Amino acid sequence: MNILVTGGAGFIGSHTILELLNEGHNVVVLDNLYNSKLTALERVEELTGRSVTFRELDLLDVHGMDKLFSEHSIDSVIHFAGLKAVGESVEKPLFYYENNVTGTINLCNVMNDHNVKRMVFSSSATVYGNPAESPLTEDSELSATNPYGQTKLTIEHIFRDLCRSDSDWKVSLLRYFNPVGAHESGRIGEDPTGIPNNLMPYVTQVAVGKRARLSVFGSDYPTHDGTGVRDYIHVTDLAKGHLKALEHLEQESGAEAYNLGTGNGSSVLDVIKTFEKVTGKKIPYELTDRRPGDAAICFADASKAKKRLGWETEKTLEDMCRDAWKWQTKNPDGYN
Ligand code: NAD
Ligand code: UFG
């Protein structure tokens, strides 16, 4: 298949493209490089021995996207492009709504014009808001606690309405839990700018000596050790989920949501202990106040994806820590 990957130079996109190329698909990438480097794609080409077509293009550039679709025969789109920083979305809501929501509407309009109606979309467990209970099924209550989450929820609604209006459209809404780790080669991985917001990149930067200690946000949650529980998923497992969703698209009737997680919850202290065990590195940490807006517990019921897509995770928390550490040590300054 000829697949357009938006946001393909980013963390999850680059890992997914690697799997797509290994499966023999042809890939065209659209990315404005706002939060990524072209080096990621060069390394994917190196790892697979195959090439990708890259176009530096913004979702807000309708003319440019129209030209891209005219020049390439696209069968399906995997849509990763979007802004993802929760805190920044609170400060700059218009920037987030315009980029994520308007950008997606632009993409869908261009797809309609070129009669391309197959889409795999990067949604997020953030659409479950601050959940009262886990495991979360696809039927759990949806809500948003910040503008970023609201963009994902809004885009899910847009896809549902679009599919209802035109039965030719088939869309997979993939709700990722907490993607971490890196490709086992250590050549591609997550390259956050500035101080990482997320746990795993922060842990690896402490381990490599870039940051003095980790702040553990909250130790009085109703969990087995008091720290927050999440469903960490290896980015390679996540990437493979996109291939399964793509293969299954023809059988979907409209827009269908799938949780992509392991189904297991791990606490912050579980992550620290596992990381220390597999790397032999000590992670100095201090217990601090809760981070505003954080849920106590959030993990997936991933049985729908297993049953319908034939997908389940293979990698363990140990694999995630080992591969995140390999990436960090081989690339102390990311792609720079
Ligand atoms: P990322 O920032 O590494 O990748 C996103 C890519 O999209 C970047 O390369 C960026 O330059 C590009 N982009 C952003 N806006 C664009 C625009 N207007 N036009 C063209 N390109 C644009 O992020 P990621 O972690 O790979 O996430 C990919 C997707 O998955 C995002 O939509 C994100 O919201 C979603 N998601 C991520 C996580 C996570 O924890 N990483 C969790 C749930 C959902
Ligand atoms: N944590 C710390 N210290 C840190 C960073 C995180 O203790 O320095 C804790 C958090 O409190 C939480 C856990 O580690 O308990 C995981 O935090 P992350 O920031 O890595 O991930 P979140 O679950 O908070 O956020 C993720 C995505 C968001 C998305 C959200 C809901 O990063 O984009 O899931 O789906 F909105």
Side-chain angles (χ1 to χ4, degrees):
M1 272 201 274
N2 296 329
I3 298 158
L4 172 67
V5 181
T6 77
F11 172 44
I12 306 169
S14 54
H15 287 80
T16 303
I17 291 171
L18 189 147
E19 302 297 329
L20 289 167
L21 294 174
N22 280 339
E23 284 297 309
H25 296 293
N26 300 315
V27 174
V28 176
V29 177
L30 168 177
D31 199 304
N32 64 2
L33 300 180
Y34 177 82
N35 195 38
S36 51
K37 304 255 164 41
L38 205 47
T39 316
L41 292 177
E42 289 163 4
R43 293 191 181 178
V44 167
E45 291 183 324
E46 195 184 284
L47 287 165
T48 58
R50 296 199 51 210
S51 59
V52 298
T53 303
F54 175 76
R55 197 63 64 81
E56 188 171 338
L57 197 58
D58 197 297
L59 295 171
L60 300 177
D61 178 357
V62 175
H63 178 70
M65 287 200 289
D66 181 65
K67 197 160 168 279
L68 181 71
F69 274 81
S70 298
E71 288 169 2
H72 300 275
S73 160
I74 305 290
D75 300 306
S76 310
V77 177
I78 305 183
H79 179 30
F80 293 104
L83 302 170
K84 61 167 184 178
V86 172
E88 189 186 43
S89 80
V90 175
E91 286 158 27
K92 302 176 185 169
L94 297 179
F95 181 44
Y96 270 66
Y97 282 107
E98 181 173 42
N99 191 81
N100 293 4
V101 180
T102 307
T104 301
I105 293 172
N106 289 346
L107 174 64
C108 291
N109 275 325
V110 174
M111 287 173 68
N112 254 334
D113 290 345
H114 293 267
N115 205 29
V116 179
K117 298 181 177 182
R118 299 287 178 273
M119 161 78 88
V120 175
F121 172 63
S122 298
S123 187
S124 165
T126 192
V127 298
Y128 298 115
N130 198 329
E133 278 180 13
S134 282
L136 291 151
T137 74
E138 289 78 359
D139 296 324
S140 294
E141 200 180 317
L142 303 180
S143 72
T145 56
N146 55 68
Y148 165 69
Q150 194 66 56
T151 66
K152 292 293 178 194
L153 206 48
T154 302
I155 295 167
E156 285 204 3
H157 286 308
I158 291 172
F159 280 126
R160 277 200 204 87
D161 288 341
L162 180 60
C163 291
R164 266 185 224 117
S165 76
D166 178 351
S167 59
D168 288 345
W169 269 91
K170 292 174 189 294
V171 180
S172 215
L173 308 168
L174 302 184
R175 295 177 180 160
Y176 313 155
F177 279 69
N178 289 57
V180 296
H183 187 255
E184 60 186 9
S185 63
R187 293 291 288 156
I188 56 170
E190 188 172 11
D191 185 16
T193 30
I195 302 171
N197 290 310
N198 298 116
L199 179 64
M200 190 65 89
Y202 206 104
V203 167
T204 60
Q205 291 196 5
V206 170
V208 86
K210 273 190 156 181
R211 319 229 165 250
R213 71 181 62 79
L214 172 76
S215 296
V216 175
F217 299 143
S219 51
D220 57 351
Y221 284 114
T223 62
H224 62 274
D225 59 21
T227 66
V229 165
R230 295 291 184 276
D231 188 340
Y232 298 96
I233 172 173
H234 195 291
V235 64
T236 296
D237 278 333
L238 184 64
K240 290 179 177 169
H242 292 74
L243 273 76
K244 292 288 187 184
L246 203 57
E247 286 164 16
H248 195 260
L249 263 185
E250 283 312 315
Q251 295 162 56
E252 300 292 4
S253 53
E256 200 64 49
Y258 292 99
N259 285 340
L260 296 190
T262 63
N264 301 315
S266 304
S267 72
V268 178
L269 294 182
D270 291 336
V271 172
I272 295 173
K273 276 185 226 140
T274 307
F275 189 90
E276 289 181 336
K277 188 177 121 197
V278 302
T279 65
K281 286 298 229 185
K282 197 89 198 123
I283 302 298
Y285 68 86
E286 60 183 344
L287 303 176
T288 65
D289 288 345
R290 292 180 178 192
R291 183 169 65 179
D294 271 2
I297 306 177
C298 177
F299 62 94
D301 175 334
S303 56
K304 181 178 172 185
K306 183 176 179 186
K307 198 166 144 208
R308 307 255 294 252
L309 305 180
W311 171 87
E312 62 184 320
T313 59
E314 289 168 359
K315 296 193 181 265
T316 62
L317 187 58
E318 295 195 358
D319 297 325
M320 301 178 211
C321 291
R322 190 180 302 112
D323 291 340
W325 179 233
K326 189 171 189 182
W327 157 253
Q328 177 71 69
T329 46
K330 287 182 102 174
N331 309 270
D333 296 313
Y335 289 115
N336 286 326

